[in-house]
Amino acid sequence: MSLYEPDTIAAIATPPGEGGVGIVRLSGPGVWQIADAVFTALDNVPVSHREHGSFAYGKVLDEGGQEIDTGLALVMRAPKSYTCEDVVEIQGHGGAVGMRRILRRALDAGARMAEPGEFTKRAFLNGRIDLVQAEGIFDLIRARSDRAASAAMEQMEGKLSEQFNAIYDAFLEVAANLETTLDFVEDELPDDVFSGIAALLDRTFCTLDELLDTWDEGRLLREGARVVILGRPNAGKSTLLNALLGFDRAIVSSTAGTTRDTIEEGFVLDGIPLRINNTAGLRETDCEIEAEGIRRAEAHGQEAHLSVYLVDASRPLHEEDRVRLDKLDRSKSIVVLNKVDQGRQIEGVEGVEACLISETGIIELKQAMADTLEKGADLHAPPHAVISERHRQLLVKAHHEARQARAFLKENIEANAVLACEHLRSALEYLGQVTGRVYHEELLDNIFSRFCIGK
């Protein structure tokens, strides 16, 4: 089944802005005619006559024969290309105007502007990659840490797809074996047939559960861990944010209540991408604007993977601090005693292991943050492909259907084989959508619309 017309598409494949090289990519059945019209090699051999994997130096010409740019034309013949179609990439001098002129020339010569992710979509539809591998390409482009890039590479290479396919094939084998038993009377079947079917289904559940367990780690790598800085006004939250980032992001003032809204910045800590939020000081207030900032701070604290709570250690512990500290989830919180250089009046907080902000305190705090985050996901293990939110949703649905099948088999495997088969077929439908064994246009649009136009 094909969800696209075999026309020729073109797009700029390099990021916008100035650079040494820019690339316009063409793919489809008409690339040779278009490339010959757009590009003239200095050796006068047309692009259409060149071998796969070769390149030529020459000129990009407009419709009237005037030179637009000089550069290279790279030749990739089907099926040995990214899209499995005939592909030509024209490399010119990087720059927005030059790239637009080359692209416009290609479009005038008969190409169509590519849609977001359409090159990768064609790679999927032509069997080069499956949907999980396509998402790995997207994850690699968007990776914000070495660990995330390594996990995306594993996914691109098909390591995650192998696990999904193994589960799919196991469920398919169980369903096929069950359906085969329907053609026999009970006395004709070997005694161990049904027990073998149940055992295979149980083993597959273990693999399915292992994949689901990688979701938290995948969310950290793709989206970044949500970290929120909390505390009373003037506890030093903005100063801490600036110290963690290494530049002045938040306004620092001795006036209490300076921060009214949430400030979010991203950075990478020990290979973990973070989204760190500085929040309004927590206190009772009659100011409507400040009260809204405090409400947002509390909401961020509830949703965060990690809360960093600052206490002004140069003053006696405030009752409001004591109340809020009691409410913290200790498994995902770090308490920081700040301003110890101004005269320490708090030695510690009962029941809480606190970090001190001193000359070396930021280094210690970063290590404590990394350690706390790593407890929630196995980030000490070597980088490996991990499931996304889309995968998780489909796996949960498949898991539910397979559990229903298992329940019927446990109740009466001979009498309920037909019902169990129905639920297993539903599980296979969901699993098929993960890798693209089963797909529809809405699913593909949802995945590839997130890509850039030139990919």
Side-chain angles (χ1 to χ4, degrees), residues 282-345:
L282 302 173
R283 65 176 177 181
E284 295 294 330
T285 180
D286 294 328
C287 175
E288 184 177 346
I289 298 175
E290 188 177 0
E292 174 60 20
I294 293 169
R295 186 197 66 78
R296 294 186 182 187
E298 292 172 337
H300 280 293
Q302 292 174 357
E303 298 170 357
H305 293 96
L306 173 64
S307 296
V308 178
Y309 192 96
L310 262 67
V311 175
D312 182 352
S314 67
R315 301 172 180 272
L317 186 64
H318 196 282
E319 181 60 28
E320 195 162 18
D321 278 329
R322 195 183 305 277
V323 171
R324 293 188 180 277
L325 287 168
D326 287 340
K327 294 179 180 179
L328 284 180
D329 182 345
R330 301 292 170 80
S331 66
K332 59 175 188 175
S333 302
I334 297 173
V335 177
V336 176
L337 299 183
N338 195 23
K339 301 187 179 182
V340 293
D341 57 326
Q342 298 180 20
R344 183 173 176 181
Q345 296 194 39

Side-chain angles (χ1 to χ4, degrees), residues 182-235:
L182 301 177
D183 297 328
F184 295 88
V185 296
E186 185 177 343
D187 294 340
E188 295 177 349
L189 291 169
D191 295 337
D192 61 349
V193 167
F194 289 113
S195 61
I197 290 173
L200 176 58
L201 189 55
D202 289 340
R203 289 196 301 272
T204 307
F205 273 125
C206 294
T207 307
L208 190 56
D209 289 337
E210 288 173 1
L211 267 180
L212 282 168
D213 286 342
T214 69
W215 176 67
D216 279 332
E217 182 181 347
R219 184 172 55 170
L220 287 179
L221 293 176
R222 291 183 176 92
E223 302 175 10
R226 294 187 299 277
V227 178
V228 61
I229 302 175
L230 300 170
R232 282 179 43 75
N234 259 359

